[in-house]
Amino acid sequence: MTGFRLGYVPGVTPAKWSRLWAERLPRIPLELVQVAAAEAPDLVRRAELDAVLLRLPIDRTGLHAIPLYVEQTVVVVPKDHLITAADEITTDDLADELMLHSQDDVLDWARPPGRLIEDRPARTADAIELVAMGTGLLVVPQSLARLHHRKDLTYRPLTGVPESQVALSWPEGATGELVEHLIGIVRGRTVNSTRGPAVPKRAAQKPARKTVQKTTQKTPQKKPRRRR
């Protein structure tokens, strides 16, 4: 049986799932391929990848997608920026800020608040460089902020905006045995688990009643009176 090509967008870390794959399917190599977020869906549609870990939403035409987990949205700022005084940022805090939005790796729904710089950098790494130069601020999933960490930058959680959702996607009509194995791995199924319907939990058994031993008190017998 041939190997399996699994793509993943920047910030997503499939290492744990890769190790589980190697333990369960040691004879089938799993090739991990990092791909740009904008290209990920089409690479799967063209069968250049067997499956891909990407961020929703996407155009699901011809694709399956199962959500896996949600990422916190953050705003990347220089360390000496005024908003770093707060533990978390609201959209109102960014109303007067210049905001960057990269063409790659950042979702279209994440159009940030504030004054958007229309000349979009090609990659998140380029946008991070512009933040460091003081050109503007950048809204990204937290995993991307960590991936592009710099000593002169920091980030704060941003409330009032959607969170990004990481999902596993693969072509419609291609849910074969290997895809089923991968779905089981990313969903945390054990080796012996099946895809059948979940077995309903048995109703909790009522605790056994405690047997209370009744102690019958004997009425003390009167001693016979002595005759005088």
Side-chain angles (χ1 to χ4, degrees):
M1 195 175 287
T2 59
F4 192 91
R5 286 172 58 85
L6 175 63
Y8 65 98
V9 298
V12 176
T13 52
K16 176 183 176 181
W17 297 324
S18 176
R19 288 194 298 269
L20 288 173
W21 178 285
E23 291 172 4
R24 300 182 187 183
L25 303 166
R27 296 183 181 179
I28 303 172
L30 177 67
E31 182 182 356
L32 299 178
V33 184
Q34 183 169 303
V35 298
E39 299 175 0
D42 285 336
L43 289 173
V44 177
R45 288 191 189 97
R46 295 197 301 263
E48 294 182 35
L49 298 171
D50 295 299
V52 66
L53 295 162
L54 43 64
R55 293 185 179 90
L56 299 177
I58 58 168
D59 176 7
R60 296 200 187 189
T61 304
L63 297 176
H64 292 292
I66 52 172
L68 300 177
Y69 62 90
V70 172
E71 294 180 301
Q72 172 73 55
T73 300
V74 301
V75 55
V76 181
V77 301
K79 276 194 171 180
D80 58 356
H81 198 284
L82 289 175
I83 67 174
T84 59
D87 293 332
E88 63 179 23
I89 307 303
T90 67
T91 52
D92 291 340
D93 297 324
L94 302 178
D96 298 325
E97 298 289 344
L98 287 173
M99 305 300 301
L100 296 159
H101 192 195
S102 70
Q103 298 175 30
D104 192 8
D105 300 340
V106 182
L107 303 175
D108 288 337
W109 56 251
R111 181 182 177 91
R115 295 174 292 158
L116 187 65
I117 298 175
E118 294 299 336
D119 186 14
R120 296 170 64 178
R123 300 177 305 148
T124 300
D126 299 327
I128 292 288
E129 290 288 342
L130 292 174
V131 175
M133 292 168 59
T135 304
L137 310 183
L138 178 66
V139 173
V140 291
Q142 185 174 354
S143 64
L144 285 176
R146 289 175 174 171
L147 177 66
H148 298 287
H149 171 71
R150 289 174 52 125
K151 291 182 179 180
D152 54 347
L153 301 180
T154 186
Y155 60 85
R156 291 290 184 272
L158 179 61
T159 62
V161 295
E163 295 175 314
S164 65
Q165 195 167 44
V166 173
L168 174 68
S169 181
W170 69 96
E172 288 183 354
T175 312
E177 183 181 350
L178 294 182
V179 172
E180 292 285 10
H181 278 295
L182 181 60
I183 293 171
I185 288 171
V186 298
R187 283 190 160 176
R189 296 188 188 125
T190 61
V191 178
N192 297 324
S193 64
T194 66
R195 285 188 54 81
V199 178
K201 294 182 179 179
R202 292 183 179 179
Q205 294 181 350
K206 294 182 179 180
R209 293 182 179 178
K210 291 183 179 179
T211 304
V212 179
Q213 254 189 340
K214 292 183 179 181
T215 304
T216 306
Q217 291 185 349
K218 294 182 179 180
T219 305
Q221 294 180 355
K222 292 182 179 181
K223 293 181 180 180
R225 290 182 180 180
R226 293 180 180 178
R227 291 181 182 180
R228 292 181 181 178

